[in-house]
């Protein structure tokens, strides 16, 4: 049927075949990726219309508000990107949702750059379509953080390494060093990519030619040079990012085995739909797999070693050190398996199958936008999110209004519950700074005296016992404090939804009038917003 369809395609297939004809002309793949970014940005805009941005995205933006070579919780790349993006685009939900999906689209661009080293025509498209059938480039990507920022960096670094290994040209060696360093300042988990690249080079039959050239040593020197500002920051600030990362290494053999099992199951689940689609495409031709594997080209064999390293090395580390190992930490490496499967086949893949997969991808995207997104938005409006995303905009606006009512000045600093504090910094028209240093993010200490003197506010949801106890403790230290309580209610397309109580503690700036008895901490005001 597939061969017959390729010879005499149905009328509805012909526009898709003309599109596939444009792959080597250079316009078909960019069109596919652009449509992917637009459609899934639209999905995010609809699905989260009644809720704010994910706290991880707001945290990345908060980090990037002041440039530094490192931050106390995560390496700096996600903050840098968020800062660069918002220096051009407005501070709005759609803007950062577009940023997240543009990052996913850029990842697919670099995946295609690798795939075109081995295949041409519609098989390049098939690699991308199989990845689009995973949840990685939509739902994982929308939480723009230290994990999802690697979606684009890992394939870029892998591509540069592949070219450096094959050509041994100094330009590609420099590119490989720069991009692997960039991966490291994205998240330290990228050490497994760097180690996998080294393992692949050592395991490859052409290792002697590569290591006897200047290419690997140029990459090492350039990579260390690019990393040196961050290394200096680590050396002079106590390396708190390492401390945060090592906090995940607190298990034993039993917990590690559990983590390893869940890690493998999570990756298998992420690729399950694509795997089933590929089984249907290959059919009985899967019997050729051993022969195809034996005849794998040198470049694909290099990628195979990289892929194995990105899975095996984290597993071994988890077993030895007892580290946590969520599968989402490795999702950015799944592109390697899609490339190996599609590009490693020796048999012809009919365009009939690529058109069918295109229809599946397009149908799933349209169903997500037209059906799933509105249902998700309505459900969340009625039932809320655990982190309270429905209330971010309302809480930030009401806190700002009440702060100006009391002080007559813009709000300059905010803390409390991290998600609410990040959201207030982003959504408040005053854009106050997050006042708790990330080095002490989880210690719940007393704000600096200078912070309190300039004016500061903290907010918690009612029921967050630890946060609420902290507000009580801070207020007991003495000072010009005002406590307020108000109700915020979700709203979606004119329909009111779930509501929640917010507790606010405001430290008045020194220049403000002293609080009245009605505004004293012992008193409480309730309002509705």
């Amino acid at each position: 049927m597939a061969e017959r369809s390729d010879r005499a395609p149905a009328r509805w297939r012909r526009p898709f075949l003309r599109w596939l004809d444009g792959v080597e002309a250079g316009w078909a793949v960019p069109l596919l990726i652009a449509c992917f970014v637009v459609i899934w940005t639209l999905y995010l805009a609809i699905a989260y219309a009644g809720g704010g941005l994910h706290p991880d995205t707001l945290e990345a933006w908060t980090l990037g508000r002041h440039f530094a070579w490192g931050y106390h919780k995560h390496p700096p790349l996600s903050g840098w990107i968020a800062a660069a993006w918002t220096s051009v685009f407005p501070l709005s939900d759609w803007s950062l949702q577009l940023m997240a999906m543009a990052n996913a689209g850029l990842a697919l661009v670099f995946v295609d750059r690798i795939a075109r080293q081995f295949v041409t025509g519609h098989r390049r498209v098939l690699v991308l379509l199989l990845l689009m059938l995973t949840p990685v480039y939509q739902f994982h990507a929308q939480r723009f953080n230290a994990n999802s920022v690697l979606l684009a960096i890992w394939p870029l670094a892998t591509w540069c390494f592949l070219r450096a290994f094959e050509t041994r040209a100094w330009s590609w060696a420099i590119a490989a060093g720069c991009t692997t360093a960039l991966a490291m300042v994205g998240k330290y988990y990228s050490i497994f990519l760097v180690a996998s690249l080294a393992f692949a080079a050592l395991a490859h039959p052409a290792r002697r030619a590569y290591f006897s050239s200047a290419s690997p040593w140029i990459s090492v020197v350039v990579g260390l040079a690019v990393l040196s500002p961050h290394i200096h920051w680590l050396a002079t600030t106590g390396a708190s990012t390492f401390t945060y990362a090592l906090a995940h290494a607190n298990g034993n053999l039993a917990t590690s085995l559990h983590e390893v099992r869940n890690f493998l199951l999570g990756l298998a689940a992420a690729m399950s739909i694509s795997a089933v689609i590929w089984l249907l495409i290959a059919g009985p031709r899967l019997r050729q797999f051993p022969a195809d594997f034996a005849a794998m080209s040198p470049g694909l064999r290099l990628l195979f070693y990289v892929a194995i390293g990105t899975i095996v090395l984290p597993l071994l580390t988890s077993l030895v050190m007892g580290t946590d190992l969520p599968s989402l930490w490795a999702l950015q490496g799944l592109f390697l398996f899609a490339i190996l499967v599609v590009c490693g086949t020796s048999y012809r893949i009919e365009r009939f199958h690529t058109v069918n997969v295109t229809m599946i991808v397009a149908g799933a995207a349209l169903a997500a936008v037209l059906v799933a997104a509105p249902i998700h938005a309505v459900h969340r409006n009625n039932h809320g999110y655990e982190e309270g995303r429905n209330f971010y905009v309302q809480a930030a606006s009401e806190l700002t209004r009440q702060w100006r009512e009391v002080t007559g000045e813009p709000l300059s600093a905010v803390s409390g519950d991290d998600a609410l504090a990040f959201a207030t910094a982003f959504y408040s028209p005053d854009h106050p700074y997050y006042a708790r240093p990330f080095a002490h993010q989880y210690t719940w200490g007393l704000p600096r005296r200078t912070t309190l003197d300039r004016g500061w506010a903290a907010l918690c949801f009612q029921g967050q016992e630890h946060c609420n106890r902290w507000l009580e403790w801070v207020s007991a230290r003495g000072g010009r404090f005002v406590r307020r309580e108000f109700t915020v209610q979700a709203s979606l397309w004119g329909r009111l939804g779930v509501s929640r109580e917010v507790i606010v503690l405001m430290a008045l700036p020194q220049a403000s009038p002293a609080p009245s008895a009605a505004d004293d901490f012992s008193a409480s005001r309730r309002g509705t917003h």
Side-chain angles (χ1 to χ4, degrees):
M1 177 187 296
E3 292 182 0
R4 185 167 62 252
S5 176
D6 276 6
R7 289 194 302 269
R11 180 172 297 177
W12 68 267
R13 288 181 175 271
R14 292 171 188 170
F16 292 96
L17 294 175
R18 285 194 292 271
W19 165 61
L20 293 178
D21 289 337
V23 172
E24 296 306 312
W27 60 269
V29 169
L31 177 62
L32 171 66
I33 295 174
C35 290
F36 174 84
V37 170
V38 170
I39 289 173
W40 284 101
T41 301
L42 183 61
Y43 167 83
L44 295 178
I46 297 173
Y48 298 96
L53 294 167
H54 193 278
D56 286 358
T57 305
L58 295 172
E59 182 182 47
W61 174 80
T62 300
L63 284 170
R65 294 186 74 181
H66 70 279
F67 178 82
W69 291 112
Y71 301 112
H72 286 279
K73 183 176 180 181
H74 295 300
L77 184 60
S78 59
W80 291 349
I81 292 175
W85 183 271
T86 52
S87 69
V88 177
F89 292 90
L91 289 180
S92 63
D93 286 3
W94 71 262
S95 170
L96 269 72
Q97 287 162 346
L98 177 60
M99 177 187 71
M101 294 315 303
N103 178 59
L106 192 61
L108 295 172
V109 169
F110 294 137
V111 171
D112 179 65
R113 297 299 301 186
I114 299 174
R116 68 192 296 181
Q117 300 288 116
F118 308 105
V119 292
T120 59
H122 71 102
R123 290 174 70 168
R124 286 171 51 192
V125 171
L126 189 56
V127 172
L128 302 181
L129 293 173
L130 290 176
L131 291 175
M132 290 177 183
L133 287 172
T134 72
V136 176
Y137 297 88
Q138 312 90 351
F139 306 110
H140 175 62
Q142 68 99 5
R143 298 174 56 172
F144 187 81
N145 56 20
N147 294 310
S148 59
V149 76
L150 301 180
L151 285 175
I153 301 302
W154 272 37
L156 173 60
T158 303
W159 174 48
C160 292
F161 167 73
L162 175 65
R163 299 299 294 141
F165 187 91
E166 291 179 335
T167 67
R168 296 185 286 280
W170 64 268
S171 56
W172 284 111
I174 291 174
C178 289
T179 52
T180 51
L182 201 61
M184 287 298 297
V185 295
K187 186 172 183 177
Y188 296 147
Y189 185 89
S190 295
I191 190 62
F192 294 120
L193 174 65
V194 177
S196 297
L197 298 179
F199 164 73
L202 288 168
H204 197 274
R207 55 185 172 271
R208 181 180 296 275
Y210 177 63
F211 283 106
S212 62
S213 72
S215 180
W217 318 115
I218 292 174
S219 296
V220 170
V221 171
V222 169
L224 290 174
V226 173
L227 272 178
S228 60
H230 181 64
I231 294 172
H232 179 264
W233 180 88
L234 288 171
T236 55
T237 60
S240 56
T241 40
F242 279 177
T243 303
Y244 179 80
L246 291 175
H248 295 282
N250 53 10
N252 52 41
L253 181 60
T255 59
S256 295
L257 289 172
H258 180 75
E259 290 286 336
V260 165
R261 183 197 66 181
N262 289 344
F263 177 80
L264 294 173
L265 289 176
L267 295 182
M271 291 294 291
S272 58
I273 296 176
S274 299
V276 170
I277 294 294
W278 180 253
L279 290 175
L280 294 175
I281 291 173
R285 295 178 292 189
L286 282 174
R287 290 193 296 265
Q288 299 183 36
F289 174 77
D292 286 345
F293 181 81
M296 189 179 291
S297 69
L300 284 177
R301 190 164 297 278
L302 188 71
L303 293 184
F304 169 74
Y305 292 136
V306 175
I308 294 302
T310 60
I311 300 299
V312 173
L313 293 178
L315 296 182
L316 294 177
T317 302
S318 180
L319 291 173
V320 172
M321 298 183 60
T323 59
D324 298 338
L325 194 61
S327 57
L328 63 86
W329 289 356
L331 294 179
Q332 67 277 355
L334 292 182
F335 73 93
L336 289 161
F337 297 93
I339 292 173
L340 289 168
V341 166
V342 176
C343 301
T345 56
S346 60
Y347 48 83
R348 177 175 177 266
I349 300 174
E350 298 82 2
R351 298 203 297 176
F352 168 86
H353 297 298
T354 304
V355 172
N356 287 350
V357 179
T358 302
M359 294 301 296
I360 293 172
V361 170
L366 291 176
V369 171
L370 300 177
V371 179
I375 291 174
H376 178 273
V378 171
H379 173 76
R380 289 302 188 179
N381 189 58
N382 295 331
H383 299 281
Y385 298 83
E386 180 181 355
E387 65 269 24
R389 290 171 66 173
N390 303 70
F391 314 110
Y392 287 171
V393 176
Q394 299 93 319
S397 299
E398 180 63 11
L399 170 60
T400 304
R401 186 191 69 79
Q402 295 202 21
W403 173 268
R404 290 181 178 181
E405 176 186 279
V406 173
T407 68
E409 299 178 8
L411 177 62
S412 60
V414 65
S415 58
D417 172 67
D418 275 342
L420 274 174
F422 297 149
T424 301
F426 185 85
Y427 291 111
S428 168
D430 293 341
H431 299 301
Y433 277 85
Y434 175 73
R436 182 184 300 146
F438 275 90
H440 309 288
Q441 187 176 7
Y442 302 112
T443 59
W444 294 91
L446 185 70
R448 295 189 184 99
R449 174 52 58 184
T450 53
T451 300
L452 296 177
D453 290 345
R454 288 194 298 264
W456 163 88
L459 65 174
C460 309
F461 284 119
Q462 184 72 263
Q464 292 180 319
E465 294 184 5
H466 192 71
C467 186
N468 292 329
R469 286 197 303 269
W470 176 71
L471 291 184
E472 298 279 354
W473 179 79
V474 170
S475 65
R477 304 304 96 185
R480 297 153 49 86
F481 291 111
V482 173
R483 176 187 168 118
R484 295 287 180 92
E485 297 181 17
F486 53 82
T487 302
V488 287
Q489 188 165 24
S491 177
L492 175 70
W493 303 320
R495 292 185 55 183
L496 295 178
V498 66
S499 61
R500 201 163 176 182
E501 304 293 322
V502 176
I503 301 173
V504 170
L505 182 66
M506 295 182 281
L508 304 187
Q510 286 294 325
S512 296
S516 66
D519 278 335
D520 187 75
F521 176 75
S522 61
S524 170
R525 288 186 178 181
R526 300 183 64 83
T528 302
H529 184 73

